[in-house]
């Protein structure tokens, strides 16, 4: 009987694999309006539409009834067209967009596409992760948190939603043991899933909601519950890290290997965390799951969305980068009053590598802050080789023999394992390594993630080595060398020329017999202390990996009339919480903290700072918050010099160049100034529709497909969108754009307006001064004229200096053409 059951089970699995192998996930958009924009007209269902910046009323029976009506229509359509065993509906999207995702064979798609009420059918695509000291660097403890009642009230009652890889709820960064009790928050309606194994809840007041979304991943056959966890539990580490950056508790000691690297804190340590897990450790995520997570988050009532994810490239399924299920869902989220911060992408330093495109999203580039970790290796010939090693030193005033891994093999036949990367201690002779410094080679395996510095340290410790050195002999373009905390003295020599010096010294000092076997290890050296951070005035700098503009409007990489990125925030070597289950970074497996780099780390900085602004200005729109962040940012480093950006030289070595708005957007975030910006450039849902309707090349039917709105409003040119930046990708002769500012200060203020531009473009602003009462709005114009055609962009700025000390600045970008 048991054999029969087993055979039946195997048959079902094989059949499932066969279906999964043929079928794919599709996202279907329907013509009826979603909850957020339904204005009535269907008998029996009252209007549910919200005004711009207004949240969905989740307690309304009218909303629940109409949402149920949409889902029933989805089910009826599928039931009418197909046999139930030939498809699987994954989600119904009802609140922000109207549609559903379905797993079905490709041959059924054309039937679905032609069905009544269906607007579009698109194949699902994947997204990936865009992978402390920063509160002090940003001036939060002294300049921002006191204005909200101190760190223990910073972000009070603001809910930040994280669509990521989940959370490790037991981490002290999310604990409530030493905090004032969190009061109930009626505005938030999200649920809290229960761990299927421990039966315990993921929520504790600080973590206010926790859900997971994996239907598309399951349908695609890539979800493994043993390692991906069918719960909000973080099996990757990435989700816990970004949640802690934005909203982790204040003053959490970062301890690893017996050393404390400082105390970690989120930007808004009292903010609530709402978890919407849609990313997984091995395959990333699927848009169908991500859109379902965003739809749920907005319906639940989050105030801020932090998105450290994005596609590998512009969505090829749509003609424009702004219109696809993902960006359309975020447009509706902004309409519901939710501020959205998204990582810009990690494709830098090359141009047009942004993966965050739309004006309603705040796209965040990554900066290197003022904290650097350095170390050095001192050789017996007196040379001192700089490197990177977050480790203790070897004993002071003592040197140790150097041994190369390939010279201490137990058996030469093990060369198939590439022993030089020191990942397998069992391949090396402990008697020859003990008490010496082990030399290893930094191969491509370290770049690909199949080898790790942590494993080298473990090998050295197991063999009784005094320390280890990893020598980078061939620099791989795009490789970044982040320091890794280890308990054994260790260093990575990242400069290939310095590695060559080390190898030359070793070879000269190491006599061999006629077979090549080492007679004696005479090369000596010592490793310095790399545990202390060095603070640099040259910070911030734009990180090498941070994605660059210009922004693109379509899959043909046509330049957009919209500046991206929007803003720069810390994103390099960021300490924050980690999940012990985390595998996103091999060097931190099993640890409680990790030091990570990426625009993934920059976005939650902005999300947390936005929460502080939202706490102080509860009625501000997402556009107003974005404006406050951008117009008060800085173009200067801490030494008062123009921001610099890391870039490749002709030899592929890293160099520093003067940064432009395509590197940093408006500049590096300044939280203290953003709380009191003086003026804001506000915009709403209608303005964003006008931007879409005015952008050349976008079909009006495509706009209606994704927004359920007609193009009844245009603004003449997309550059006239009231954003806190000006971009004209094709400037011919003279062109004038208009901006509207609103005084959000407590008193009347007079502003003097000036403008500067690089010589190829002339710039003029009118009027040259304006006075605004509290709450009043005024327009001004900026005229750009081609003086010469250079074949490249020219950069400038408009600055508004207020009589009460406010300073408002917006970047200006244009490329001139004769015709």
């Amino acid at each position: 009987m048991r054999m029969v059951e087993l055979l039946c089970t195997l048959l079902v699995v094989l059949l499932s694999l066969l279906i999964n192998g043929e079928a794919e996930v599709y996202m279907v958009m329907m013509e009826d309006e979603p909850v957020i924009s339904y204005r009535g007209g269907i008998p029996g269902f009252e209007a549910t539409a919200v005004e711009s910046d207004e949240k969905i009323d989740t307690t309304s029976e009218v909303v629940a009834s109409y949402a149920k009506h949409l889902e029933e229509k989805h089910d009826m359509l599928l039931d009418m067209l197909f046999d139930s065993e030939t498809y699987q509906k994954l989600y119904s999207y009802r609140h922000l967009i109207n549609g559903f995702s379905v797993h079905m064979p490709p041959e059924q798609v054309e039937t679905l596409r032609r069905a009544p009420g269906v607007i579009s059918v698109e194949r699902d695509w994947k997204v990936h992760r865009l992978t402390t000291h920063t509160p002090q660097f940003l001036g939060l403890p002294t300049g921002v948190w006191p204005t909200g009642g101190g760190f223990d009230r910073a972000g009070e009652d603001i809910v930040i939603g994280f669509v990521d890889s989940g959370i490790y709820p037991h981490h002290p960064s999310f604990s409530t043991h030493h905090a004032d009790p969190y009061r109930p928050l009626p505005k938030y309606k999200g649920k809290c899933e229960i761990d299927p194994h421990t039966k315990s809840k993921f929520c504790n007041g600080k973590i206010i909601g926790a859900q997971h979304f994996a239907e598309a991943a399951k349908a695609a056959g890539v979800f493994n519950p043993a390692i991906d966890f069918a719960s909000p539990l973080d099996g990757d580490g990435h989700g816990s890290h970004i949640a802690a950056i934005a909203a982790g508790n204040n003053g959490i000691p970062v301890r690893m290997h017996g050393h404390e690297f400082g105390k970690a804190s989120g930007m808004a340590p009292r903010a609530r965390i709402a978890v919407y897990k849609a990313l997984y450790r091995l395959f990333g995520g699927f848009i169908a799951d991500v859109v379902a997570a965003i739809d749920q988050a907005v319906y639940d009532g989050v105030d801020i969305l932090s998105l450290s994810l994005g596609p590998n490239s512009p969505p090829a399924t749509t003609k424009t980068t702004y219109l696809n299920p993902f960006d359309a869902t975020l447009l509706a989220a902004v309409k519901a009053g939710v501020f959205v911060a998204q990582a810009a992408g990690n494709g830098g330093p090359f141009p047009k590598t942004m993966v965050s495109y739309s004006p309603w999203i705040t796209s965040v580039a990554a900066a290197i802050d003022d904290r650097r970790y350095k170390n050095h290796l001192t050789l017996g010939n007196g040379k001192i080789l700089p490197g990177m090693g977050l480790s203790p030193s070897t004993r002071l005033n003592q040197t140790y023999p150097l041994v190369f891994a390939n010279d201490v093999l137990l058996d030469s036949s093990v060369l198939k394992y590439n022993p030089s990367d020191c990942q397998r201690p069992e391949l090396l002779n402990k008697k020859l390594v003990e008490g010496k410094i082990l030399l290893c080679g930094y191969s491509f395996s370290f770049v690909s993630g199949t080898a790790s510095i942590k494993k080298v340290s473990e090998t050295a410790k197991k063999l009784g080595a005094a320390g280890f050195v990893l020598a980078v002999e061939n620099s791989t373009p795009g490789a970044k060398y982040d320091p890794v905390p280890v308990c054994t003295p260790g260093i990575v020599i990242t400069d290939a020329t310095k590695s060559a010096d080390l190898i030359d010294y070793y070879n000269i000092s190491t006599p061999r017999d006629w077979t090549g076997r080492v007679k004696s290890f005479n090369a000596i050296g010592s490793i310095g202390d790399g545990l202390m951070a060095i603070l640099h005035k040259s910070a911030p700098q734009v990180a090498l990996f941070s994605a660059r503009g210009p922004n693109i409007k379509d899959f043909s990489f046509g330049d957009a009339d919209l500046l991206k990125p929007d803003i720069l925030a810390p994103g390099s070597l960021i300490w924050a919480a980690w999940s012990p289950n985390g595998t996103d970074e091999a060097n931190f497996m099993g640890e409680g903290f990790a030091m990570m780099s990426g625009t993934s780390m920059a976005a939650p900085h902005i999300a947390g700072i936005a929460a502080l602004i939202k706490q102080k200005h509860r009625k501000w729109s997402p556009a107003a918050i974005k404006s406050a962040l951008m117009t008060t940012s800085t173009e200067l480093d801490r030494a008062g010099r123009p921001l610099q950006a890391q870039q490749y030289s002709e030899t592929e070595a890293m160099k520093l160049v003067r940064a432009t708005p395509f590197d940093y957007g408006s500049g590096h975030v300044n939280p203290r100034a953003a709380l009191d910006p003086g003026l804001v450039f506000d915009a709403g849902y209608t303005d964003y529709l006008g931007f879409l309707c005015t952008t050349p090349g976008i079909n009006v039917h495509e706009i209606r497909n994704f927004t359920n709105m007609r193009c009844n409003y245009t603004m003449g040119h997309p550059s006239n969108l009231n954003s806190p930046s000006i971009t004209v990708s094709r400037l011919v002769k003279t062109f004038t754009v208009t901006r509207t500012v609103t005084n959000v200060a407590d008193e009347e203020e007079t502003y003097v307006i000036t403008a500067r531009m690089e010589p190829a473009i002339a710039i003029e602003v009118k009027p040259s001064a304006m006075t605004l009462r509290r709450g009043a709005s005024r327009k001004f114009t900026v005229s750009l004229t081609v003086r010469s055609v250079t074949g490249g962009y020219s950069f400038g700025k408009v600055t508004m200096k207020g009589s009460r000390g406010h300073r408002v600045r917006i970047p200006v970008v244009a490329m001139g053409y004769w015709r």
Side-chain angles (χ1 to χ4, degrees):
M1 186 69 178
R2 220 169 239 232
M3 182 63 70
V4 173
E5 289 178 358
L6 182 60
L7 287 171
C8 288
T9 302
L10 285 171
L11 188 62
V12 169
V13 170
L14 287 170
L15 186 61
S16 172
L17 287 171
L18 184 64
I19 293 172
N20 283 343
E22 295 176 351
E24 296 191 65
V25 176
Y26 295 90
M27 298 190 69
V28 184
M29 301 289 287
M30 301 292 290
E31 66 181 9
D32 287 341
E33 294 168 316
V35 166
I36 199 165
S37 57
Y38 171 58
R39 294 177 294 276
I42 300 176
F45 298 98
E46 297 178 30
T48 59
V50 302
E51 298 300 320
S52 191
D53 308 322
E54 180 187 350
K55 290 190 179 295
I56 298 171
D57 184 0
T58 56
T59 63
S60 167
E61 290 185 11
V62 172
V63 168
S65 176
Y66 183 66
K68 184 180 178 183
H69 164 72
L70 292 178
E71 184 165 4
E72 288 174 347
K73 287 193 70 173
H74 302 163
D75 295 337
M76 286 174 59
L77 176 69
L78 289 168
D79 186 55
M80 177 183 71
L81 295 175
F82 311 112
D83 292 333
S84 59
E85 63 270 16
T86 65
Y87 71 88
Q88 179 191 2
K89 193 192 80 172
L90 307 178
Y91 300 104
S92 274
Y93 309 117
R94 305 158 298 166
H95 305 117
L96 304 181
I97 57 174
N98 175 26
F100 58 89
S101 52
V102 61
H103 188 237
M104 61 167 46
E107 57 266 23
Q108 293 183 337
V109 170
E110 197 56 38
T111 301
L112 183 58
R113 189 174 277 122
R114 294 175 179 175
V118 173
I119 291 174
S120 65
V121 181
E122 297 180 14
R123 189 170 63 182
D124 193 12
W125 70 93
K126 293 178 76 173
V127 294
H128 64 285
R129 312 179 245 359
L130 301 171
T131 306
T132 179
H133 164 79
T134 46
Q136 287 74 26
F137 178 66
L138 295 172
L140 297 177
T142 57
V144 177
W145 290 344
T147 66
F151 73 84
D152 52 351
R153 288 292 176 267
E156 185 82 71
D157 294 344
I158 302 299
V159 181
I160 306 177
F162 299 92
V163 179
D164 212 275
S165 65
I167 198 163
Y168 184 67
H170 312 297
H171 197 281
S173 289
F174 314 123
S175 170
T176 58
H177 295 318
H178 303 292
D180 289 344
Y182 284 89
R183 61 193 178 203
L185 204 58
K187 72 174 184 179
Y188 181 75
K189 305 295 181 183
K191 67 179 181 179
C192 191
E193 292 183 17
I194 295 174
D195 190 306
H197 301 293
T198 65
K199 306 303 179 186
S200 59
K201 284 190 175 183
F202 281 85
C203 300
N204 58 5
K206 170 73 172 175
I207 303 172
I208 198 172
Q211 303 172 55
H212 83 288
F213 301 81
E215 296 306 312
K218 292 175 184 175
V222 296
F223 184 85
N224 182 351
I227 60 173
D228 294 317
F229 305 120
S231 76
L233 183 63
D234 187 3
D236 180 88
H238 191 265
S240 301
H241 200 269
I242 67 155
I245 291 170
N249 290 330
N250 180 60
I252 304 302
V254 179
R255 293 194 184 99
M256 288 184 71
H257 309 302
H259 182 79
E260 184 175 309
F261 291 95
K263 290 182 168 56
S265 173
M267 301 296 102
R270 186 67 178 177
R272 311 293 184 98
I273 294 170
V275 178
Y276 298 86
K277 178 179 172 181
L279 296 182
Y280 298 87
R281 61 166 73 174
L282 295 180
F283 56 86
F286 292 85
I287 283 292
D289 290 328
V290 170
V291 168
I294 295 169
D295 187 78
Q296 189 64 52
V298 175
Y299 179 77
D300 290 343
V302 302
D303 299 297
I304 313 285
L305 268 175
S306 182
L307 303 175
S308 291
L309 54 86
N312 290 314
S313 60
T317 52
T318 52
K319 294 177 182 177
T320 173
T321 52
Y322 312 132
L323 287 176
N324 56 74
F326 177 71
D327 284 75
T329 301
L330 292 177
L331 173 58
V334 170
K335 183 182 182 184
V338 177
F339 174 88
V340 180
Q342 184 187 11
N346 293 340
F350 308 106
K352 296 189 177 183
T353 47
M354 295 290 304
V355 297
S356 178
Y357 315 102
S358 298
W360 45 90
I361 300 168
T362 301
S363 307
V364 189
I368 296 171
D369 66 19
D370 61 344
R371 183 188 59 199
R372 316 284 165 81
Y373 291 100
K374 294 185 177 181
N375 205 340
H376 63 273
L377 172 69
T378 303
L379 300 179
N381 62 4
K383 283 192 175 182
I384 299 175
L385 307 183
M388 192 176 289
L390 211 57
S391 76
S393 66
T394 51
R395 288 185 181 179
L396 294 177
N397 303 316
Q398 189 170 338
T399 58
Y400 299 84
L402 307 179
V403 295
F404 180 44
N406 280 0
D407 288 331
V408 291
L409 296 178
L410 284 172
D411 184 350
S412 61
S413 66
V414 300
L415 282 172
K416 61 182 180 180
Y417 293 113
N418 187 23
S420 66
D421 62 13
C422 300
Q423 299 296 290
R424 293 170 173 263
E426 68 273 14
L427 304 182
L428 307 179
N429 190 326
K430 183 175 181 179
K431 290 181 179 179
L432 294 178
V433 175
E434 199 166 18
K436 303 179 181 70
I437 294 176
L438 179 63
L439 303 185
C440 311
Y442 192 98
S443 65
F444 183 74
S445 299
F446 289 88
V447 180
S448 64
T450 55
S452 71
I453 296 173
K454 180 179 181 179
K455 189 64 179 174
V456 176
S457 173
E458 291 171 355
T459 295
K461 185 177 181 181
K462 191 168 185 179
L463 296 174
F468 69 88
V469 178
L470 265 170
V472 178
E473 295 183 67
N474 298 296
S475 184
T476 305
K480 56 187 178 69
Y481 306 101
D482 289 348
V484 175
V486 290
C487 57
T488 306
I491 186 171
V492 182
I493 307 298
T494 58
D495 187 331
T497 60
K498 301 300 181 184
S499 293
D501 290 343
L502 167 62
I503 294 166
D504 288 344
Y505 168 68
Y506 178 80
N507 287 334
I508 292 170
S509 307
T510 307
R512 301 173 186 271
D513 62 22
W514 66 273
T515 66
R517 188 184 299 274
V518 174
K519 291 182 178 180
S520 60
F521 296 101
N522 298 334
I524 58 173
S526 62
I527 297 171
D529 185 350
L531 293 174
M532 297 301 294
I534 302 168
L535 301 183
H536 283 248
K537 282 190 175 181
S538 60
Q541 296 169 355
V542 181
L544 185 72
F545 57 79
S546 187
R548 309 298 211 263
N551 191 21
I552 57 173
K553 64 181 180 180
D554 53 40
F555 193 58
S556 301
F557 285 78
D559 289 15
D561 293 300
L562 177 72
L563 180 64
K564 290 288 177 176
D566 291 306
I567 198 163
L568 185 67
S572 179
L573 307 183
I574 306 299
W575 279 112
W578 196 246
S579 171
N581 308 304
T583 58
D584 186 35
E585 172 52 69
N587 288 312
F588 295 98
M589 287 178 64
E591 304 292 353
F593 293 90
M595 183 168 56
M596 303 290 288
S597 297
T599 54
S600 276
M601 286 69 241
H605 278 90
I606 293 299
I609 295 166
L612 299 176
I613 298 173
K614 183 75 173 177
Q615 180 189 16
K616 184 175 181 180
H617 305 285
R618 300 277 178 165
K619 295 183 179 180
W620 278 17
S621 68
I625 296 173
K626 178 180 178 180
S627 173
L629 289 163
M630 290 179 65
T631 60
T632 59
S633 63
T634 179
E635 298 175 295
L636 305 176
D637 65 18
R638 300 192 83 175
R641 298 171 300 208
L643 288 176
Q644 292 182 301
Q646 293 184 338
Q647 183 59 262
Y648 284 131
S649 66
E650 293 73 16
T651 61
E652 293 184 342
M654 196 273 288
K655 65 178 181 179
L656 289 172
V657 299
R658 182 162 180 167
T660 76
F662 287 154
D663 303 314
Y664 56 67
S666 60
H668 192 273
V669 64
N670 180 350
R672 184 173 188 172
L675 287 177
D676 181 23
L679 303 174
V680 296
F681 295 75
D682 211 351
Y685 187 69
T686 303
D687 300 294
Y688 297 130
L689 285 177
F691 170 83
L692 293 172
C693 294
T694 311
T695 298
I698 301 183
N699 189 297
V700 293
H701 299 294
E702 190 179 3
I703 295 171
R704 190 174 183 191
N705 289 350
F706 283 101
T707 66
N708 297 97
M709 300 290 287
R710 297 180 183 276
C711 276
N712 296 325
Y713 166 61
T714 64
M715 51 185 60
H717 192 276
S719 297
N720 281 321
L721 175 68
N722 200 45
S723 64
S725 63
I726 295 172
T727 301
V728 183
S729 64
R730 186 177 181 84
L731 175 65
V732 180
K733 296 181 181 179
T734 297
F735 182 73
T736 300
V737 298
T738 302
R739 288 293 184 270
T740 301
V741 290
T742 301
N743 183 4
V744 292
D746 293 331
E747 298 177 273
E748 179 180 283
E749 192 163 4
T750 298
Y751 285 85
V752 174
I753 311 175
T754 57
R756 292 175 57 188
M757 201 78 188
E758 290 178 339
I761 306 290
I763 187 168
E764 183 182 16
V765 61
K766 291 181 180 180
S768 58
M770 60 171 65
T771 300
L772 296 93
R773 298 189 307 275
R774 177 184 177 184
S777 298
R778 288 281 304 272
K779 293 182 184 295
F780 68 92
T781 61
V782 179
S783 296
L784 303 171
T785 302
V786 178
R787 281 178 171 165
S788 62
V789 174
T790 62
Y793 279 92
S794 296
F795 303 100
K797 57 188 172 183
V798 174
T799 305
M800 309 176 74
K801 293 183 180 179
S803 56
R804 296 187 179 275
H806 292 108
R807 183 183 174 92
V808 178
R809 178 185 49 79
I810 63 171
V812 181
V813 179
M815 184 187 289
Y817 293 83
W818 289 131
R819 58 180 181 177

